[in-house]
Amino acid sequence: MAKKQKRKQPQPSDFGTNERATHDDIQLEETMVAGQVRARVTTQTQIDRYLKRNEISNRQFDAGERFSAAWFIGCRGTAVTANYDVRIPAASTSVDDHVSRARWSVEMALTALGPQLNPIIVHTVGLDLPASAWAIKHNHSKRSGLTVLKLALDCLADHYGV
């Protein structure tokens, strides 16, 4: 007598914790496996959240994303993994060209913003901290941080020609 084979039940995908769902927007997507879906967080950064809540415009978001990409490449700090490139003893640093270009892009953007507006961009877009925290840190009302951020993002969009 043949044993009846158990039908394998599909395992549910990991959709994260309930706490994550309360803080971020999660979108369910199809996977390559039939019947399985996965969860993707769509609001990972502060400016993602501001756009989702319609607190900034698409133009401001695009400028912030452009600055964020340059900041991530050029200013996120030193690498913590080994670099296996060939070392030339005479060279004092081994900074790649794209890192140098990204640093230059960040420097030009911050120069265009001026000393009054670049701290909010670095705080909110570069370091991914809330604009309200910047405002409180500088003895302003909590809500004024978003207003200053919007002004800075408009200037940044003008600089990038967005």
Side-chain angles (χ1 to χ4, degrees):
M1 182 152 80
K3 245 181 156 181
K4 191 175 181 181
Q5 287 186 347
K6 272 190 167 181
R7 190 170 184 194
K8 188 175 181 181
Q9 294 292 331
Q11 296 295 319
S13 296
D14 182 15
F15 296 136
T17 63
N18 291 334
E19 290 82 11
R20 183 63 186 244
T22 60
H23 293 289
D24 292 313
D25 287 344
I26 296 177
Q27 178 180 357
L28 299 179
E29 299 177 335
E30 291 290 325
T31 63
M32 297 299 288
V33 179
Q36 273 194 344
V37 293
R38 68 175 174 203
R40 184 172 68 88
V41 177
T42 58
T43 53
Q44 294 184 1
T45 64
Q46 288 296 324
I47 58 173
D48 287 339
R49 292 181 194 99
Y50 292 142
L51 180 68
K52 185 72 174 175
R53 293 188 300 234
N54 292 323
E55 293 178 325
I56 62 172
S57 68
N58 286 328
R59 178 177 183 259
Q60 292 167 332
F61 176 77
D62 292 341
E65 280 289 293
R66 189 165 171 183
F67 181 85
S68 177
W71 180 273
F72 183 77
I73 293 169
C75 304
R76 65 180 167 186
T78 58
V80 293
T81 58
N83 186 357
Y84 294 109
D85 288 345
V86 176
R87 290 191 171 235
I88 301 170
S92 59
T93 61
S94 63
V95 176
D96 296 326
D97 288 339
H98 72 282
V99 174
S100 297
R101 281 192 299 272
R103 286 181 184 167
W104 180 81
S105 175
V106 167
E107 184 179 341
M108 291 296 104
L110 293 177
T111 301
L113 288 174
Q116 293 82 13
L117 294 177
N118 67 29
I120 184 84
I121 291 292
V122 170
H123 180 88
T124 306
V125 180
L127 301 176
D128 196 31
L129 298 169
S132 58
W134 176 87
I136 291 168
K137 180 179 175 185
H138 289 88
N139 298 322
H140 299 295
S141 69
K142 193 175 184 179
R143 186 71 183 159
S144 69
L146 185 60
T147 304
V148 175
L149 176 65
K150 289 168 76 170
L151 289 170
L153 287 171
D154 280 335
C155 290
L156 202 57
D158 291 343
H159 168 72
Y160 288 136
V162 175

